C-alpha cells in the first residue's frame, strides 16, 4: 500500500470493530516526522520550542486516549531504544512521555531483549497489530520517512507477531521510569 492507502485503511480498520488490545512495535532509531513543528524545532536544537509544542498537544492526546478507551480499545506500544540515545529518540521519547502521562501504555526494551529475534542485517519490522487479526508492517525509506505498508490478515501469522510483541511488552520497562533515568538528563537545557 502507498502511504495514503495505508493511512486510510488503517484509520478505517482501527476505529471499526477493534475492541481489545492492539500492539505497536517501533524498532528504527530514526524517523522523519514530516509536518511536525516540534520535531522540526528539535532538529534546529530549539528544545524550548520543541518541548513547549509537545506540551500544547497534551489535551489533544488526552482526548485521543479517552476515545480509545471509550471504544473498548487499548494500544500497547513497545519502543526499542539503543544506546547512545539518538537526538531523534530524545525527541520521540519526550513526545511519548506526554502520551504516557495521559494514558498511553508504553514500555521500552533494549537490544538485549530483541537480540534473539534479529540476526545479521535482519531487524524486527515496524508493526501495528490490531485487536482482531490484522497486521500492518509499516515501511520507511532510507531517511525514515513513511513509504507505505504491507497488510496481513492471516490469523496464524498475526498471532505469532502479537505473541512476540506481547512478550517484549511484558519484559519492557515502563516509559516513565526509563524517561526519568535515561532521557530527562540528556535533553538539552531549555533554560
Amino acid at each position: 500500500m502507498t502511504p495514503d492507502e495505508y493511512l486510510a485503511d488503517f484509520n478505517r480498520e482501527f476505529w471499526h470493530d477493534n475492541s481489545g488490545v492492539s500492539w505497536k512495535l517501533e524498532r528504527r532509531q530514526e524517523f522523519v516526522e514530516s509536518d511536525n513543528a516540534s520535531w522540526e524545532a528539535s532538529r534546529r536544537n530549539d528544545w524550548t520550542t520543541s518541548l513547549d509544542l509537545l506540551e500544547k498537544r497534551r489535551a489533544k492526546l488526552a482526548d485521543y486516549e479517552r476515545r480509545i478507551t471509550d471504544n473498548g480499545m487499548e494500544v500497547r506500544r513497545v519502543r526499542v531504544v539503543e544506546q547512545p540515545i539518538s537526538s531523534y529518540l530524545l525527541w520521540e521519547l519526550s513526545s511519548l512521555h506526554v502520551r504516557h502521562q495521559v494514558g498511553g501504555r508504553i514500555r521500552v526494551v533494549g537490544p538485549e531483549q530483541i537480540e534473539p529475534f534479529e540476526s545479521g542485517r535482519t531487524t524486527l519490522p515496524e508493526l501495528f497489530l490490531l485487536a482482531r487479526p490484522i497486521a500492518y508492517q509499516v515501511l520507511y525509506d532510507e531517511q525514515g520517512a513513511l513509504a507505505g505498508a504491507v497488510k496481513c490478515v492471516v490469523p496464524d501469522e498475526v498471532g505469532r507477531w502479537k505473541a512476540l510483541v506481547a512478550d517484549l511488552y511484558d519484559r519492557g520497562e515502563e516509559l516513565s521510569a526509563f524517561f526519568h533515568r535515561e532521557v530527562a538528563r540528556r535533553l538539552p537545557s531549555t533554560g
Side-chain angles (χ1 to χ4, degrees):
M1 290 186 241
T2 67
D4 289 341
E5 290 168 338
Y6 159 61
L7 293 172
D9 191 79
F10 174 83
N11 283 322
R12 183 175 50 254
E13 297 285 9
F14 183 75
W15 293 108
H16 176 73
D17 190 29
N18 190 40
S19 62
V21 178
S22 293
W23 300 92
K24 186 166 187 180
L25 174 65
E26 291 181 304
R27 171 63 180 96
R28 287 181 63 106
Q29 303 299 289
E30 296 284 339
F31 289 96
V32 172
E33 300 286 344
S34 299
D35 301 322
N36 187 308
S38 174
W39 176 71
E40 290 289 350
S42 75
R43 290 185 63 202
R44 294 188 310 271
N45 208 30
D46 181 357
W47 284 92
T48 299
T49 299
S50 178
L51 297 174
D52 284 348
L53 289 169
L54 290 178
E55 189 59 37
K56 287 177 180 173
R57 289 187 62 227
R58 180 179 294 274
K60 185 176 181 180
L61 287 172
D63 288 343
Y64 181 79
E65 291 297 332
R66 271 192 296 278
R67 183 176 174 208
I68 288 173
T69 300
D70 290 348
N71 280 279
M73 300 173 357
E74 180 180 331
V75 177
R76 296 181 186 176
R77 181 188 306 241
V78 175
R79 185 48 165 119
V80 178
V81 177
E82 296 177 359
Q83 299 285 351
I85 298 174
S86 69
S87 59
Y88 170 82
L89 276 181
L90 286 177
W91 173 81
E92 186 191 14
L93 291 165
S94 297
S95 177
L96 290 176
H97 187 245
V98 174
R99 180 181 298 274
H100 185 73
Q101 290 176 319
V102 298
R105 291 166 177 85
I106 306 161
R107 294 194 180 168
V108 175
V109 297
E112 63 280 358
Q113 281 114 337
I114 63 168
E115 185 178 25
F117 311 108
E118 298 186 336
S119 62
R121 296 181 60 178
T122 302
T123 60
L124 287 173
E126 306 296 318
L127 296 171
F128 209 121
L129 309 153
L130 300 188
R132 62 188 196 284
I134 297 174
Y136 296 94
Q137 179 184 355
V138 187
L139 307 173
Y140 296 88
D141 66 16
E142 291 294 318
Q143 290 74 42
L146 180 64
V150 176
K151 182 178 181 179
C152 176
V153 294
V154 179
D156 288 348
E157 289 182 36
V158 175
R160 281 193 291 277
W161 283 112
K162 281 184 183 180
L164 185 146
V165 178
D167 179 60
L168 290 173
Y169 184 88
D170 288 345
R171 293 188 288 134
E173 179 178 7
E174 286 289 336
L175 177 63
S176 57
F178 182 86
F179 182 86
H180 290 295
R181 188 184 69 251
E182 297 290 341
V183 178
R185 65 186 172 86
R186 288 186 167 103
L187 288 173
S189 173
T190 59

